[in-house]
Amino acid sequence: MVALEDLKQEAKNVLEGGTVKYIIGYKKPAVGFMAVPAFFHKPEDLDALVWDPTCVHNLVLFLKDEKKKKLGQKEPDERPVGIVVKGCDSRAVNVLLQENYIDRENVYILGVSCGKTGMVDLKKVRKYFKGKIISQIDFNENESFTVTTTEGKVEVPAADIFAVRCTECITASPVIHDVLLGGDSVRTPENPFGSLEEMESKSQGQKWDFWQEQLTKCIRCYACRSICPMCYCDECVVDTINFAVYPDTPAEEKAQKIKWVEKSPTTSENFIYHMVRAIHLAGRCVDCAECERACPMDIPLRFLNKKLEKESKKLFDYDVGYDTEIPSLISSFRDEDPEDFIR
Amino acid sequence: MKKKRIGVFICHCGTNIAGTVDVKKVAEALSKHDGVVHSEDYVYMCSDPGQKRIVEAIKENDLDKVVVSCCSPNLHESTFRNAVKEADKNAFQCEIANIREQCSWVHPNMEEGTDKAIKITKTVVEKVKHNEELEPISVPVTRRALVIGGGISGIQAALDIANSGHEVILVEKSPSIGGHMIQLSETFPTLDCSQCILTPKMVEVSKHEKIKLLTYSEVQEVSGYVGNFKAKILKKPTYVDPDLCTLCDECTKVCPVVVESEFELGLTGRRAIYIPFPQAIPATYILDDTGCPGLLPIACGKCADVCDPGAIDFDQKPEIVEEEIGVIVVATGYDLYDKTNMGEYGYGKIPDVMDGLQFERLCSASGPTNGKIIRPSDLKEPKELVFIQCAGSRDPELHCAYCSKICCMYTSKHAMLYKHHVHDGQAYVFYIDIRSGGKGYEEFVQRTVENDGVLYLRGKVSKVFQDGDKVKVWGVDTLAGKDIEIDADLVVLAMAMRPSEGTEKLAKILKMSLDKDGFFSEAHPKLKPVESVSAGMFIAGAAQAPKDIPEAVAQASGAAAKAIGILSQERLYHSPMVAKVNKHLCTGCRMCVDVCAYDAISIKDGIAEVNEVLCEGCGTCSATCLRAAISVKNSTPYQVHEMINASLGG
Ligand SMILES: Cc1cc2nc3c(=O)[nH]c(=O)nc-3n(C[C@H](O)[C@H](O)[C@H](O)COP(=O)(O)OP(=O)(O)OC[C@H]3O[C@@H](n4cnc5c(N)ncnc54)[C@H](O)[C@@H]3O)c2cc1C
Ligand code: SF4
Ligand code: SF4
């Protein structure tokens, strides 16, 4: 288990010593109990740093902003950014490294292990505690959490309130880090793709109906895209608002911007949007499930990404975010790749 | 901007197109399409008058762009682009709409065919609207050739190219050139001595001022493109200076190491320091470092002590030779399928069961037995000799599916040679059928049967095993319907021919494709038999498929002619439809670098950069890039989008 004091100390060491320019971590929210992302610029601020099972955000997201800021600066501060990462998040760092989006020197990784459990699922917590006011949730050494409510502390079996993705996680400890807190924790879930089974057992028609219903809800707020650490393109095929135009973009090219998808959130356009996103995340999604958490319309986006993860594993034995030296899934061709699906 | 004026030309292709496509209707429909100012149909667009119509129509109607609806662009794209150029327009303002192969030929119904032809033509009109004006990329040619493999095919190709005045680098992996032909005794169908007809060519290679011979060498890396390849060749150390070696043979007398002789196929031994065979080219001894303790001279070094001219140099190191060349001829030949694969014939463990090449060595006057046919186990003359054809060939379940083509002929030759040596012996040949197509070949086989009394048994051998000092052969004679049992003294297997060892590795280095059996693939089985699909790379000899010497030589000369065709040009022209990077969108993720089969992309200053000469315009990068940051000129995503729209009727 990670001792919060150790984490604070490590963070202070690098911030005080000037090894990093700032640290991206978590702090308590103004209201409620779910931790929120925080940027620590001064060592003394670090007293507010927290690490508990409510630190659901994948902070790697903020490395995109950091990169873009730096690109805009004449003489950018070249020191790395400190970042607190969980196991899943660390694989996101690896994907960004693999894609040359960031360099290893750009980040100082404070790795934290989730131990025997993982992150809580807010919806499950709310359901479990039906209206009780929660102030704090903590990790335990065993497979449970301690939840503090106005009525006192209770021990809750992790299985009752933690996120589905965490039950299927095999990397509870960061796979890349500069310091690792909480030790190496290996988990071997019985069925890493178990949550897909019910969906997979449905007929094609049932699946269609299911997604038809789900995607009709989509309001195309792009929260899923905005929160995804992998969606870092300047220009996205699905929305015509953000076409990147530069002073030297030729008129011809400006005129030739393609509207592959209409802006309006109709069901058919939504399908295209979500299919494109899913395909673009194949071999890149690390299952942090932030998209699903961010979706205001309760669309089970994780299904799509998890299914592609499963297919990549099954067909190409590809694991996302472990090896930064190999080509990315969509850019690797091997002699032994299956081709029986080509007809 | 002035609106571009487009002309559309619909070809009837006789009835090929007009049979199922109402060409008049297509022309009529297109004449109403946005941007089209001229639309006509003609019976044969590719004919001279057809082409003239295009040129005239361009001039009369002041056309900017042209679409020809006809057959596949593979066939007449260049014809029509040239016609457009003749009318002083940029050739890349002409596009082909293929309304034949996947349209008229596949639609039995006129209505459907016409409808589809209209759609196809409209999509291409939309495409051509956004075509850039391009000029072919021109590159200079390095006028030298690399020939890989020094068998008869490689030798012939090298000589032909060198005799046309171009320099040749001939790379052979073994210590001498000659290939398998130098191991043969006499050759069908004329029975001339193989070494006698090959050695003059080998000497010519070694003396030719335009040929640089690199033996005991292997190609390790090839980069570049037609006209401008760069090769890295590993020259293994031979530890003997060929210029100093006088071939006195003193060294082998003192060398304590004996290993199997590769040239004699294990029928005899050789020393660690050796000459592969007396007529080897280059004529020099070499030291095989795998068996020699002398590389730590304290341990041995006897050869160096007796070498008067001081030719032996234990300090020689492997050397990488870099060569620039314009064309490559691959002539890496074959190897025999290994006897150890044949369980039914004793897995190669029975001493008196040998393969055809070993039998060649037995028959050869310069062989280990000085041409006396005796069997390995007890050196006695075999009186009952069984030949088994198709050993490993024509057996798709267990071994090689194909026919090795030459075994019928050489088995016949072997049986004949045996009878010439052992008059009182009996030779049996088990065969499936006899394939003796070739000038004088059938007559040759007939001679073996009629003059030499060789017994041909049609049928398969089910088992071969040691039985006392005999080799028992169980088979069937399917013509007589009888089981056959022969107590043979010696059995010779006509083993299948396989691509030579290392073919797969070389194919990767050269990025050349192999066929299902592992031989190098020709670009077209009928019309491009010596070309590979990679521009500037040609195939000769048994590297492409089992072949006999006349065929190998003919193909080698064909490959040489093709190579000379390139080497005789000052410059080559390359399609300008290549990939282009949008540097604003590229994030330098390298995915395109990984997928490009032509190694045309590199990352420079964090952004992808395309080597236009290497790029073949395949579009793989464009399909891979998540950021749509790379696309192929004149096939941009926008053009594709417009084409999809047009085909959907938009
Ligand atoms: C038992 C037997 C008897 C035969 N008798 C006859 C006959 O009587 N008449 C007839 O017409 N044909 C005969 N043949 C066929 C004849 O051997 C072939 O047609 C001929 O040898 C093909 O020549 P090649 O140069 O294509 O291949 P090879 O002779 O195999 O030569 C290939 C050369 O390339 C070299 N090489 C391979 N890989 C590499 C590499 N990666 N780098 C560099 N060098 C490499 C090899 O070392 C070799 O020297 C017979 C074949 C067999 C097996
Ligand atoms: S795949 Fe696209 S973004 Fe990546 S390096 Fe190539 S062009 Fe750039
Ligand atoms: S178009 Fe094909 S050949 Fe050209 S750079 Fe892209 S992947 Fe390579």
Side-chain angles (χ1 to χ4, degrees):
Chain A
M1 222 170 80
V2 180
L4 180 58
E5 284 318 306
D6 293 348
L7 176 62
K8 283 184 181 172
Q9 195 52 51
E10 289 290 351
K12 264 192 190 136
N13 290 349
V14 286
L15 194 54
E16 243 162 18
T19 317
V20 299
K21 34 181 168 175
Y22 63 93
I23 287 174
I24 316 176
Y26 304 92
K27 68 176 185 191
K28 281 243 144 203
V31 194
F33 61 96
M34 295 295 284
V36 291
F39 303 88
F40 301 96
H41 290 271
K42 292 191 228 105
E44 55 273 27
D45 296 346
L46 281 165
D47 293 335
L49 180 71
V50 298
W51 166 245
D52 64 38
T54 70
C55 294
V56 291
H57 300 85
N58 183 348
L59 303 177
V60 174
L61 165 70
F62 299 109
L63 295 179
K64 299 193 295 186
D65 189 42
E66 163 65 20
K67 167 154 176 160
K68 287 189 178 144
K69 263 193 286 192
K70 247 169 88 174
L71 282 177
Q73 289 160 357
K74 277 231 170 68
E75 280 172 29
D77 183 346
E78 289 296 351
R79 286 177 300 161
V81 172
I83 182 167
V84 178
V85 301
K86 307 185 281 290
C88 45
D89 310 340
S90 76
R91 293 195 291 123
V93 174
N94 267 348
V95 175
L96 294 185
L97 287 172
Q98 184 183 17
E99 296 179 357
N100 293 320
Y101 188 72
I102 55 170
D103 292 331
R104 185 63 184 90
E105 308 82 73
N106 298 153
V107 275
Y108 183 88
I109 304 170
L110 296 146
V112 283
S113 163
C114 292
K116 290 205 159 60
T117 53
M119 295 294 112
V120 296
D121 178 332
L122 183 57
K123 285 178 208 139
K124 284 190 186 171
V125 173
R126 284 207 177 118
K127 205 168 148 198
Y128 192 92
F129 285 94
K130 295 195 197 75
K132 287 191 187 136
I133 297 177
I134 297 165
S135 55
Q136 173 72 29
I137 304 182
D138 289 300
F139 288 112
N140 288 334
E141 290 287 3
N142 58 15
E143 289 176 30
S144 72
F145 299 116
T146 296
V147 182
T148 311
T149 69
T150 41
E151 291 164 26
K153 286 181 196 269
V154 277
E155 194 169 307
V156 184
D160 289 347
I161 55 169
F162 83 154
V164 180
R165 67 181 175 102
C166 297
T167 65
E168 299 183 340
C169 165
I170 54 168
T171 36
S173 296
V175 292
I176 180 171
H177 48 73
D178 292 291
V179 283
L180 175 63
L181 293 123
D184 249 331
S185 156
V186 182
R187 267 214 306 247
T188 43
E190 245 164 60
N191 192 350
F193 298 102
S195 60
L196 293 175
E197 279 167 9
E198 194 202 330
M199 179 70 74
E200 286 170 337
S201 70
K202 292 189 179 176
S203 72
Q204 206 170 354
Q206 285 169 323
K207 284 181 198 159
W208 179 252
D209 292 343
F210 176 85
W211 287 108
Q212 185 85 10
E213 189 180 323
Q214 293 299 336
L215 296 181
T216 304
K217 292 189 292 183
C218 174
I219 50 170
R220 293 267 286 287
C221 65
Y222 297 128
C224 48
R225 190 183 67 189
S226 305
I227 205 164
C228 180
M230 299 309 153
C231 275
Y232 56 72
C233 297
D234 280 343
E235 184 177 298
C236 179
V237 292
V238 301
D239 72 273
T240 36
I241 324 169
N242 74 343
F243 276 149
V245 175
Y246 302 86
D248 59 347
T249 305
E252 180 85 335
E253 201 181 302
K254 267 188 232 169
Q256 295 196 352
K257 292 296 179 190
I258 314 158
K259 226 190 232 177
W260 290 109
V261 187
E262 291 296 332
K263 239 191 290 181
S264 51
T266 56
T267 310
S268 79
E269 303 296 297
N270 291 350
F271 259 91
I272 301 292
Y273 165 56
H274 287 286
M275 291 305 121
V276 169
R277 211 180 96 82
I279 294 291
H280 278 206
L281 285 173
R284 305 174 69 231
C285 169
V286 296
D287 194 18
C288 66
E290 283 288 88
C291 45
E292 183 167 316
R293 197 180 58 78
C295 178
M297 306 312 278
D298 212 13
I299 300 172
L301 294 167
R302 179 175 172 263
F303 267 137
L304 296 176
N305 299 332
K306 196 68 183 172
K307 177 66 177 167
L308 285 171
E309 183 186 328
K310 181 176 176 183
E311 294 299 314
S312 331
K313 178 73 188 162
K314 205 171 74 190
L315 289 170
F316 306 106
D317 196 23
Y318 187 85
D319 295 299
V320 181
Y322 290 92
D323 189 345
T324 58
E325 297 306 314
I326 57 170
S328 200
L329 174 73
I330 30 176
S331 63
S332 64
F333 294 98
R334 293 172 304 188
D335 291 347
E336 62 275 17
D337 282 348
E339 50 185 1
D340 46 333
F341 52 87
I342 302 171
R343 273 187 269 258
Chain B
M1 211 188 326
K2 178 182 146 248
K3 199 158 178 180
K4 296 291 180 221
R5 299 171 63 85
I6 302 169
V8 177
F9 301 84
I10 322 285
C11 181
H12 300 196
C13 194
T15 55
N16 265 312
I17 291 171
T20 32
V21 167
D22 183 342
V23 282
K24 297 261 181 262
K25 211 167 149 192
V26 178
E28 159 80 17
L30 263 297
S31 69
K32 297 185 189 120
H33 191 83
D34 176 62
V36 176
V37 295
H38 175 85
S39 174
E40 67 169 292
D41 61 281
Y42 185 67
V43 57
Y44 285 112
M45 233 42 253
C46 60
S47 65
D48 212 43
Q51 294 180 47
K52 282 213 180 82
R53 287 176 93 100
I54 297 180
V55 178
E56 277 156 26
I58 292 176
K59 291 189 175 147
E60 278 163 24
N61 302 289
D62 188 21
L63 300 178
D64 300 302
K65 290 159 190 269
V66 164
V67 171
V68 187
S69 294
C70 56
C71 53
S72 159
N74 265 337
L75 299 167
H76 278 302
E77 187 178 72
S78 55
T79 311
F80 296 123
R81 286 197 167 152
N82 283 336
V84 168
K85 208 168 140 195
E86 216 176 290
D88 294 329
K89 294 282 163 190
N90 183 279
F92 294 88
Q93 295 304 332
C94 167
E95 287 286 347
I96 306 299
N98 180 358
I99 58 167
R100 194 179 74 173
E101 274 77 349
Q102 278 109 38
C103 183
S104 71
W105 276 356
V106 294
H107 286 289
N109 172 319
M110 184 74 118
E111 211 171 303
E112 282 176 6
T114 307
D115 189 45
K116 187 159 165 188
I118 293 173
K119 278 189 178 161
I120 292 174
T121 310
K122 282 183 177 175
T123 62
V124 180
V125 169
E126 287 307 313
K127 175 181 197 284
V128 84
K129 271 186 190 170
H130 306 285
N131 265 15
E132 281 179 66
E133 300 210 335
L134 301 173
E135 287 304 330
I137 299 164
S138 126
V139 283
V141 179
T142 308
R143 295 164 108 171
R144 307 169 83 211
L146 170 68
V147 177
I148 308 174
I152 178 59
S153 311
I155 291 175
Q156 186 64 44
L159 286 174
D160 286 350
I161 298 172
N163 286 337
S164 77
H166 300 292
E167 258 178 74
V168 179
I169 323 289
L170 176 57
V171 175
E172 165 58 50
K173 73 173 171 190
S174 61
S176 168
I177 55 171
H180 286 104
M181 187 176 164
I182 198 72
Q183 291 174 304
L184 305 180
S185 56
E186 277 131 70
T187 53
F188 64 75
T190 43
L191 290 190
D192 29 15
C193 152
S194 190
Q195 299 198 336
C196 314
I197 56 176
L198 181 56
T199 44
K201 282 187 187 287
M202 290 165 59
V203 172
E204 195 182 341
V205 166
S206 74
K207 297 271 185 300
H208 207 297
E209 56 169 15
K210 292 275 183 193
I211 298 180
K212 174 167 169 186
L213 180 58
L214 295 173
T215 49
Y216 218 40
S217 302
E218 267 172 68
V219 175
Q220 279 203 318
E221 212 182 292
V222 169
S223 58
Y225 43 90
V226 55
N228 295 275
F229 295 109
K230 278 199 182 78
K232 279 197 184 143
I233 301 155
L234 170 75
K235 208 170 158 15
K236 291 176 277 185
T238 62
Y239 306 102
V240 179
D241 183 339
D243 295 334
L244 297 180
C245 174
T246 57
L247 307 179
C248 67
D249 199 34
E250 289 304 319
C251 48
T252 62
K253 293 180 192 147
V254 296
C255 177
V257 181
V258 182
V259 291
E260 277 188 4
S261 157
E262 295 87 357
F263 182 74
E264 299 297 358
L265 301 157
L267 293 174
T268 176
R270 63 156 172 85
R271 303 289 158 160
I273 189 157
Y274 70 109
I275 183 161
F277 50 95
Q279 311 93 315
I281 298 285
T284 173
Y285 280 60
I286 77 152
L287 197 158
D288 169 10
D289 55 11
T290 47
C292 165
L295 291 177
L296 302 165
I298 346 147
C300 180
K302 292 203 176 86
C303 51
D305 295 343
V306 298
C307 182
D308 256 353
I312 296 168
D313 173 10
F314 287 118
D315 295 328
Q316 243 184 40
K317 293 276 170 304
E319 191 189 333
I320 302 278
V321 183
E322 291 192 28
E323 296 288 354
E324 293 191 358
I325 59 261
V327 289
I328 298 176
V329 177
V330 180
T332 47
Y334 68 97
D335 277 324
L336 287 188
Y337 191 55
D338 207 326
K339 291 196 291 276
T340 55
N341 294 313
M342 308 295 297
E344 59 272 46
Y345 304 150
Y347 290 114
K349 289 201 191 110
I350 307 170
D352 294 326
V353 175
M354 58 171 55
D355 65 35
L357 277 175
Q358 288 174 314
F359 193 72
E360 292 283 342
R361 296 311 302 144
L362 272 194
C363 298
S364 170
S366 65
T369 58
N370 297 324
K372 260 178 59 197
I373 297 184
I374 48 179
R375 64 181 199 169
S377 65
D378 53 11
L379 310 183
K380 283 199 193 125
E381 194 173 68
K383 297 292 181 198
E384 299 274 304
L385 212 167
V386 172
F387 293 95
I388 303 176
Q389 292 196 177
C390 301
S393 298
R394 304 172 71 185
D395 189 347
E397 263 92 63
L398 296 175
H399 307 292
C400 310
Y402 52 89
C403 163
S404 291
K405 195 172 180 187
I406 60 163
C407 328
C408 286
M409 288 310 296
Y410 75 62
T411 301
S412 169
K413 172 185 78 176
H414 286 171
M416 186 188 276
L417 291 176
Y418 169 67
K419 287 294 289 182
H420 292 181
H421 283 81
V422 185
H423 301 297
D424 59 344
Q426 180 59 54
Y428 305 87
V429 177
F430 280 94
Y431 71 103
I432 302 181
D433 46 34
I434 297 294
R435 302 186 168 179
S436 53
K439 199 163 158 176
Y441 286 15
E442 175 60 18
E443 297 90 317
F444 184 82
V445 176
Q446 284 312 324
R447 242 165 55 213
T448 311
V449 179
E450 283 158 20
N451 299 2
D452 296 308
V454 173
L455 215 58
Y456 269 75
L457 299 164
R458 179 172 185 158
K460 278 210 142 185
V461 170
S462 56
K463 202 171 156 127
V464 170
F465 59 98
Q466 188 80 51
D467 183 21
D469 70 343
K470 296 281 180 187
V471 182
K472 186 80 93 187
V473 178
W474 282 352
V476 275
D477 179 345
T478 50
L479 290 182
K482 277 194 312 200
D483 284 342
I484 299 217
E485 189 180 314
I486 300 172
D487 284 319
D489 297 311
L490 183 65
V491 172
V492 179
L493 304 176
M495 297 304 303
M497 279 165 104
R498 300 278 310 134
S500 66
E501 201 197 318
T503 294
E504 236 176 282
K505 190 172 144 208
L506 184 64
K508 282 214 171 105
I509 293 172
L510 298 173
K511 298 195 193 71
M512 274 171 75
S513 51
L514 300 177
D515 63 23
K516 68 177 193 343
D517 301 316
F519 291 98
F520 282 100
S521 296
E522 64 281 359
H524 189 283
K526 293 162 207 127
L527 300 179
K528 293 185 174 177
V530 304
E531 290 96 325
S532 76
V533 280
S534 315
M537 298 193 190
F538 306 97
I539 320 166
Q544 183 246 348
K547 278 193 185 69
D548 58 20
I549 298 163
E551 277 186 314
V553 170
Q555 199 192 12
S557 290
K562 291 284 171 187
I564 296 164
I566 292 177
L567 297 181
S568 53
Q569 323 242 351
E570 292 265 348
R571 304 186 77 82
L572 289 176
Y573 293 90
H574 183 269
S575 161
M577 289 180 293
V578 293
K580 183 175 148 191
V581 178
N582 178 332
K583 64 181 193 315
H584 294 303
L585 299 184
C586 174
T587 61
C589 72
R590 293 188 64 86
M591 287 188 196
C592 54
V593 178
D594 291 330
V595 295
C596 178
Y598 304 94
D599 283 340
I601 315 178
S602 54
I603 301 286
K604 207 168 161 199
D605 298 331
I607 283 175
E609 189 181 72
V610 177
N611 178 331
E612 297 201 331
V613 183
L614 286 180
C615 174
E616 289 288 334
C618 68
T620 311
C621 51
S622 173
T624 304
C625 179
L626 294 176
R627 286 155 271 284
I630 190 163
S631 61
V632 176
K633 288 181 192 170
N634 287 358
S635 288
T636 61
Y638 184 71
Q639 286 177 298
V640 173
H641 179 263
E642 293 298 282
M643 290 171 79
I644 295 174
N645 260 350
S647 71
L648 294 176

